Each structure stands twice: as C-alpha cells, then as structure tokens.
Amino acid sequence: MLVQVAVAAAVRGTFTYRVPPALEPEVAVGRRVAVPFGKSRRATGYVVGFAEAAPDGVAVRDLAEVLDTFPLFTPDLLELVRWAEEYYLCPPGELYRAALPPGLNARAGAAAPRRRAVEYAAPAPGAAGALTALARRARAQHAVLEYLLARGRIPVEELRAAFPAGRAALVALREKGLALVEAEAPLPAGALLAATASAPPLMPDQAAALDVLAAALEAREFAPFLLHGVTGSGKTEVYLRAIAKVRASGRGALVLVPEIALTPQLAGRFRARFGADVALLHSGLSDAERHAEWLRLRHGEARICVGVRSAIFAPVQDLAMVVVDEEHDPSFKQEDGPGYQARDLAVVRAKQAGAACVLGSATPSLESLENARRGRYRLLELPLRVDDRPLPAVEVVDLASLRRGGRPLGLVSPPLAAALEATLAARQQAILFLNRRGFQTLVVCEACGREERCESCSVSLTYHRRRGVLLCHYCGRVERVTPACPACGGPRRGIGVGTEQVEAAVRQLLPAARVARLDRDAVGSADDVAAVLARFANREVDVLVGTQMVTKGHDFPGVTLVGVVLADVALALPDFRAAERTFQLLTQVAGRAGRGADAGRVIVQTWNPGSPAITCAIGHDYAAFVAGELASRRALGWPPFARLLAVRVEGSDDGAKACAAALADAARPALAGQGVALLGPAPAALERLRGKSRWHLLFRAAGPEPLRRVHRLLAPVARRPPGGAAVRFDVDPYSMM
Ligand code: ADP
Ligand code: ZN
C-alpha cells in the first residue's frame, strides 16, 4: 500500500511512502503520520491520498507511525487546503500545519477528545440585598454582582472579558452564597429559541438584510454577500440572527474576526447567545484550551466557531454560513509562512460547502466592493446607526495653519485640549489615537546629523522614554540612550511622536484625569489587553491612548470624544493602499464615539486637511472616497483592476541581489507582449531586516493566469536560489514594505 503525504516542511508537492502491513488498518486520508524525510529526519506528514505506483527512480521509504486515531482533516478541509496550496503557491505541509491548533501540532497522537463544558454564572436568589454592603468593602465583587444582576445568567467567559479580576471576584461571591456557578453542556434547541427571543427587535434595514440571508440559507446553495453597514449599525446583531437560523436547521457556522483579544465583548456576545455551542479559536487561549475547542468542533459538540485568521480551517461540521467581520482588516492576510488571505478563502470555503458567505464592514475593501459592483457578491446595506443615533460630528484641526498662526505646536492642539477638558467635566470618556508606538520615532544629532538606526534593519530606532532605551520595532534590538551623540559628542534631539509621548502630554494637560495606554509596549499579553479594556469599560479610566488597537470594533457607550493625534501617519507609507488604510482607520476610530445615548464628537489633527482619505473620512462619505480611489487605481493599474504576485528575496547583500537578478532573467519570456509587467527587482522599502538584505520583484497582470506562467518560470530558480538566498512567493500581496 502506497500513500501520498504532504510533509510539514517548506517544500512544494507531496511525497510517496509505503505503508508497512501492520499500519495498514490505521492509515486513512486526513490522518497525520510520522515519516522519514531528507537525511533520516523524522517529520510530521499528512496523508492526502493513496498512490497506485511509486514515481520512477525514487526509492520509496516506509511510514514510521500513524499519529491519529481518527482523521483530523475531513474531505471538505482537504479540498480547501488543496485549493489554497494551488492558488497561494505555498508548501502544502505548511498549510496543513497552520490549519491545526498549536496544541495539537506539538503533541503526537494527542487525539483523544476531551469534553469541556462552558461555565455559567448567575446571581443567587436574594443577592441584590448584599449590594450596599459590598459597595463599601469589596468594589470588584460589587461590580461583578451588579453586572450579574443586570444580565442574569451569563457565560463566565464574558465576565472574564468584562472585568480584569472577574474570576476571583466570582469565586468570592460564590463562597458568600451570592452567586451561582454551574457547568452546562450544549444548549438544547428549545433554549436556543428562548435566547433569540431575548434579542432586541431588529431595525428595518437589519430585518431586510436578515430576510435575504434567511432565504439564501434555505436555498442551501453558495451565496456570497457584502454587508456594508456604518459603524454601530447593528451588523453583529444580523450575524447573530442569521446564525440562530443556521442552528435551527441543525447546521454549523464559522465567524472570522480580526483579533479576539482586542474585542472580548464580541466573543462574549456570541457566548451569551449560543452558550457552549460556540468554540473560540484565538491566540489568547492556551494551547490546551485551543486544542480542546478545536476537538469540540471536530466532534460536533460545538457547531459555531468564532476565531481569527487561522480559524478559516476550523473543522466546523455541516457548514451553512461563513461570516468575515471587518473584512477589510489587514490581519486576515497571513504574512509569514503560507501567505493565504483568510477573507478570500472564506468565499472559497463557502463555495465548496454550498454555504452562504457574509463579508461585513463599515469600510469594505476595494476588492470586495468591486466584486459587489460586478455582481459577484450581493450587496446588503445598513446605512443608519441603531436607534438613528447620529454619526459623530468630525472637526478638523489644520496643523499647518496653526503653525502659520505662530502658535507653538503641542501634541494636543488647543481645540483638542478644550474638547478633552469638556469631556472630562461632563464625566464622559475619550479615546486618543496615534498609529505609532514609543516616545520619539527618530533621534538625530544636531551637530553632525547622525540618525540612530538599527544595524540589522534599515529603520530608525524609536525612543521609549519610560524604559530609557532606543528600540527597533522590527527585530526588537535594544540600545541604551546617551544624551550625547556617540559619533561627535554633539547634542541629540528626538523628533516624531509616538503614543508614549501622547500619554505624557495628556497627563500634563489634565493632571486629574485617569489615563491608560493600549499598544504593544504597554500591554504584553491578551489578558493585559482585556484588563485595560475592562477598566475602560468600567469607567475606571477617562482617557485611553493607543495605536490601532483602540480602533477595533469596541463598543463603549461612555466614549463621546475621539481624538486623532496625527491623521497623516499611515498616509505617507510607500504602498498603493495607503489612502485606503488611512480612510479605514479614521472611519473605524471615529466610529468608537457616540455609541451610547450621548452624541459623539471626533477631532482630527492633520497636516493634509485636503487629502481625500481625510476629507471623506471626516464627511462619513465612503461613496465619495471609493469613487475617487477606484478611479485612480484603475488609471494606475493597481488592484482591484489588476492582480499582483510579489516575489520576496532575502539573503546576504550579494546573494539577495544576484538571486533577484536571476529571477528577473528567468521571468523574461513571460513579460514581452504577454500582458505582464515587472516592477523591480528593487531593494525592498525595508531594505534590511534582522541582518538580512531584502529585494522584491512585483509582477502585475490583468488576471491570475499570466502570473501563474511567471511562477512556472521562476519555480526552478526558487528551488535552487543563487547566492544561497531564500525566495518566497506572495500571491495578492498586502505588505509593500
Ligand atoms: P456594528 O457591528 O455594526 O458595529 P453592533 O451590532 O455592535 O453594530 O450594534 C451596535 C449596538 O447596538 C450594540 O450595542 C448592539 O447591542 C445594539 N443593537 C444592535 N441592533 C439593535 C437593535 N435592533 N435594537 C437595539 N439595539 C441594537
Ligand atoms: Zn532591527
């Protein structure tokens, strides 16, 4: 017996192995095996099929072991991986590895299902009477009990997301007999109906969108949708209702979200509605937890998966609907290893499964919008906020004219400062957004002009004042700061602002304000993020300063002011999507304001008040932005009007350059008159990274077929790259750096 095996290594194609007779009963497609690979190395492999005969001239070796007692990959997932491998030109073994939860990848043979019930918390009868006493002596317990009394019976997960010390407070409450904690198996169908009944009545546009989705679910055919709804229009409620219908028909649903750690509320909403029927897959969980959640899906104990990018491969059974929330978010693109785009794979998976697919966003990507315009996706629109809450009023502060007015420019302009003061005086909350970490982003010598740069990466080092160091944001290199220039001894000055400096400026401006910072320096783990967000949600923090981590889909009713410290940061990047990213970020962060009963206000500080990305975001005018941006993409030949293939080369200075030149040579037959343009080879914008020299080639064509021809020409070079460089193909690239 011979089998085809995809080996978990950076090689394309599959390999043939012989199955020793003793292992024959255990071998099946979709199971993992241990195989000898290369120089007697033992590697993990994935059985993808059987073979009739060994390829000529190849000595076939024996499988060493079968690792699983049941197939980890069902036929639908094998089909999806096969599609992704072909399209993204990546090693199949890497995709199979990426498709499994890390806990399962590490442990050989760890396939015994482990049941895990979801825990629920509820207030004990009569607990309300104890509130006053708790208010004085145990504030955390008071807050948790108050929440429980308001919400009734909720998953403990939600409590953990809402309160940093939620778990400990709950245990204390239970010991005092004030709260109940119980485990529960998946909800019976009747309970599901009850949970749905407690949901709010839909707004007319929500109801109309749901009707269309319900009809598609009933038809049981592939149907792709683009759900364009302004921030706060109730998109999530539409997903929840549609998934309730999926469950009522006994089928399963998959929901992809950008980063669960940043939006614990969202996971909480799904758990609150569907209980243990929801499995969560994200990096905030321990490996063991992820493994357990994955198995619950695989065995049909949980039918709804809410997860991040890699959950596109989650083993949801009887898939009827795939949802991608915030479909424009760049985090759906995998940048290391197998470079797939989970949002695009969502459409493919839905097509293969005959399922509905909903891509939702307040600012749909131009790719998805163009698909809707061409009639490939059906467009559903939610143009109004829930309860007709107005979109926040946006004001612009033109930094250039302020400077011409001769006023000294602080980080917080006088209008923003006044708005912050008014917000705090009204006991409301504010978010300040700046898409750059650190205190100062460049340190220069005023005498000799020397800039502090990372030796291994071609970027400036960022000054982090609290830690007292200069830090490379790419490789993590740390240098001590000296007041004098190490080259000439001259005085040094920091320029460029980061979130740490914004935090310091706010503390100085408003000494009484409670300020917290949310960026990768301030918070290490997913738990820390949840803790900061929970303190903000509990109104223990007045002003939250942060990077794009603060722009995600948070729902804080107390926030009435959003300040954008410098709107221009993302605009200056050498990337054809820079304007689109800027528009999306500004719209998302503005959407955090005014989600409660009080109206919101947004203040945008910028040097480019006339740039379309900024004026359209200010005017909440998606249509105007995309009209202009689509026209310029069409004129310049960028996606969605062209397809791109990036070839990334990394190696020594000479090696990378030589390899890039060899690749350009090899591609020549595909270029002349064949409708393919080659940009480069050129050093990448990030010319050096972690000590390696980087070159890029960017191929552009009207459709994917000519680019596949390019790949066929380059593949032999990539297999044995000159100069010892490493070559990576990136299909539909996002990063232009
Ligand atoms: P989006 O996902 O579009 O940003 P959400 O679904 O988060 O919007 O809805 C915004 C807020 O409005 C949430 O607090 C949600 O619970 C609430 N909401 C959604 N739909 C309704 C409705 N039909 N009636 C009342 N409140 C609603
Ligand atoms: Zn570096």
Side-chain angles (χ1 to χ4, degrees):
M1 186 192 270
L2 297 171
V3 284
Q4 289 299 121
V5 174
V7 178
V11 286
R12 297 259 298 147
T14 56
F15 299 84
T16 308
Y17 287 90
R18 185 173 25 240
V19 184
L23 294 181
E24 276 184 20
E26 286 176 52
V27 162
V29 170
R31 290 193 193 189
R32 292 177 308 158
V33 289
V35 292
F37 187 69
K39 294 197 182 74
S40 82
R41 188 152 70 85
R42 190 184 145 108
T44 302
Y46 309 87
V47 179
V48 299
F50 292 91
E52 291 292 315
D56 288 340
V58 175
V60 173
R61 296 201 263 178
D62 280 1
L63 287 187
E65 198 185 335
V66 177
L67 299 176
D68 305 309
T69 53
F70 64 95
L72 300 185
F73 292 94
T74 42
D76 57 325
L77 286 172
L78 288 167
E79 196 187 350
L80 182 68
V81 171
R82 231 169 259 145
W83 191 95
E85 164 200 351
E86 275 294 306
Y87 185 81
Y88 291 109
L89 309 171
C90 52
E94 287 190 344
L95 276 171
Y96 285 105
R97 182 165 51 191
L100 294 177
L104 207 151
N105 268 327
R107 220 174 320 162
R114 210 184 83 211
R115 276 160 203 277
R116 198 184 72 157
V118 169
E119 281 186 320
Y120 280 80
L131 266 183
T132 341
L134 286 177
R136 265 173 281 121
R137 280 179 290 118
R139 286 191 53 207
Q141 291 171 39
H142 177 262
V144 167
L145 183 56
E146 202 172 37
Y147 191 84
L148 284 177
L149 288 166
R151 303 268 323 210
R153 191 160 178 279
I154 56 160
V156 172
E157 179 95 24
E158 181 183 339
L159 212 54
R160 256 176 48 184
F163 299 92
R167 181 96 223 175
L170 181 64
V171 170
L173 286 170
R174 187 176 56 182
E175 278 165 8
K176 293 179 184 162
L178 297 174
L180 309 168
V181 180
E182 50 204 49
E184 174 163 319
L187 287 180
L192 187 68
L193 291 178
T196 315
S198 70
L202 293 181
M203 309 285 292
D205 293 321
Q206 286 177 310
L210 182 64
D211 280 347
V212 176
L213 294 178
L217 288 171
E218 228 153 83
R220 296 183 179 241
E221 277 171 7
F222 169 56
F225 298 94
L226 176 61
L227 177 62
H228 177 199
V230 298
T231 53
S233 60
K235 294 184 287 296
T236 311
E237 189 59 40
V238 173
Y239 309 147
L240 289 166
R241 293 297 184 92
I243 291 170
K245 292 197 185 294
V246 167
R247 292 302 296 124
S249 73
R251 293 178 290 164
L254 170 60
V255 182
L256 298 184
V257 296
E259 273 160 289
I260 292 185
L262 292 181
T263 49
Q265 288 168 325
L266 185 82
R269 277 169 84 181
F270 277 86
R271 275 269 159 90
R273 199 70 63 90
F274 301 111
D277 212 9
V278 176
L280 295 177
L281 289 179
H282 61 94
S283 55
L285 302 177
S286 70
D287 282 0
E289 286 173 314
R290 253 161 115 173
H291 182 180
E293 290 291 83
W294 188 92
L295 284 172
R296 290 203 309 125
L297 289 166
R298 176 66 186 84
H299 297 297
E301 291 162 16
R303 299 292 187 145
I304 302 167
C305 173
V306 178
V308 293
R309 179 178 62 221
S310 59
I312 184 59
F313 298 109
V316 177
Q317 309 291 299
D318 301 317
L319 188 65
M321 184 156 100
V322 186
V323 173
V324 184
D325 189 30
E326 313 287 4
E327 66 88 31
H328 65 277
D329 196 281
S331 75
F332 290 119
K333 175 68 162 62
Q334 169 77 34
E335 291 292 354
D336 307 314
Y340 62 87
Q341 163 49 286
R343 179 242 294 156
D344 297 344
L345 280 183
V347 179
V348 173
R349 186 165 179 190
K351 189 168 187 178
Q352 293 177 341
C357 182
V358 184
L359 309 181
S361 174
T363 52
S365 63
L366 294 188
E367 283 82 356
S368 296
L369 179 72
E370 188 57 19
N371 277 327
R373 286 157 50 112
R374 290 183 197 165
R376 287 204 204 125
Y377 301 165
R378 177 154 175 199
L379 185 63
L380 302 172
E381 288 178 294
L382 304 178
L384 301 176
R385 278 189 156 186
V386 167
D387 290 342
D388 292 326
R389 279 169 208 151
L391 283 164
V394 187
E395 301 148 50
V396 180
V397 174
D398 178 355
L399 296 172
S401 80
L402 271 190
R403 184 152 74 182
R404 279 195 299 277
R407 293 203 237 170
L409 270 187
L411 272 180
V412 177
S413 66
L416 181 53
L420 274 171
E421 275 161 17
T423 303
L424 263 64
R427 306 197 152 273
Q428 290 163 342
Q429 293 172 293
I431 289 177
L432 289 185
F433 163 63
L434 175 65
N435 208 11
R436 224 160 30 188
R437 301 185 282 141
F439 193 82
Q440 280 150 345
T441 50
L442 178 66
V443 174
V444 291
C445 170
E446 294 190 318
C448 73
R450 175 186 154 118
E451 299 174 358
E452 283 320 306
R453 299 190 151 260
C454 176
E455 283 170 19
S456 336
C457 310
S458 50
V459 294
S460 58
L461 294 172
T462 299
Y463 174 43
H464 288 249
R465 189 169 73 174
R466 196 171 298 166
R467 289 175 59 189
V469 295
L470 292 169
L471 185 68
C472 172
H473 282 183
Y474 287 88
C475 72
R477 171 199 195 87
V478 177
E479 277 182 23
R480 295 193 37 125
V481 198
T482 52
C485 172
C488 75
R492 302 211 287 179
R493 188 166 57 96
I495 51 182
V497 298
T499 40
E500 196 183 335
Q501 199 177 143
V502 176
E503 184 191 2
V506 175
R507 286 187 191 281
Q508 199 178 13
L509 183 72
L510 304 164
R514 296 166 298 172
V515 184
R517 181 154 57 90
L518 189 62
D519 59 35
R520 270 193 287 142
D521 302 314
V523 292
S525 67
D527 279 353
D528 295 345
V529 175
V532 172
L533 291 175
R535 275 167 53 218
F536 195 53
N538 293 346
R539 303 208 174 197
E540 290 160 31
V541 166
D542 303 309
V543 183
L544 183 64
V545 176
T547 53
Q548 55 180 340
M549 289 172 110
V550 303
T551 68
K552 305 282 167 171
H554 310 297
D555 196 7
F556 300 116
V559 173
T560 54
L561 174 67
V562 165
V564 177
V565 176
L566 195 59
D568 318 70
V569 173
L571 210 51
L573 294 176
D575 183 333
F576 69 88
R577 290 192 180 90
E580 185 183 0
R581 279 296 291 148
T582 300
F583 177 80
Q584 287 163 347
L585 278 171
L586 292 180
T587 305
Q588 290 295 335
V589 73
R592 300 311 115 217
R595 294 173 75 92
D598 301 309
R601 186 174 170 200
V602 181
I603 294 186
V604 176
Q605 305 190 138
T606 175
W607 295 100
N608 294 292
S611 118
I614 291 173
T615 54
C616 294
I618 288 164
H620 305 293
D621 199 344
Y622 177 79
F625 175 73
V626 296
E629 187 65 15
L630 281 174
S632 92
R633 297 270 181 98
R634 191 192 296 274
L636 297 170
W638 288 117
F641 302 104
R643 293 301 189 96
L644 301 177
L645 167 65
V647 185
R648 309 184 185 283
V649 185
E650 247 184 59
S652 66
D653 287 356
D654 295 342
K657 190 175 175 186
C659 179
L663 287 165
D665 264 355
R668 199 144 293 148
L671 298 180
Q674 307 288 307
V676 180
L678 167 58
L679 314 180
L686 263 172
E687 211 175 324
R688 289 180 71 71
L689 195 60
R690 298 179 190 93
K692 295 239 172 80
S693 179
R694 303 169 78 237
W695 284 70
H696 284 184
L697 295 85
L698 192 60
F699 294 92
R700 180 165 69 180
E705 206 27 63
L707 295 177
R708 313 200 77 81
R709 205 159 54 235
V710 170
H711 172 256
R712 282 195 291 275
L713 291 167
L714 300 190
V717 184
R719 229 170 283 133
R720 281 175 207 75
V727 178
R728 203 174 146 253
F729 294 99
D730 188 358
V731 179
D732 301 336
Y734 274 69
S735 167
M736 294 293 135
M737 302 294 282

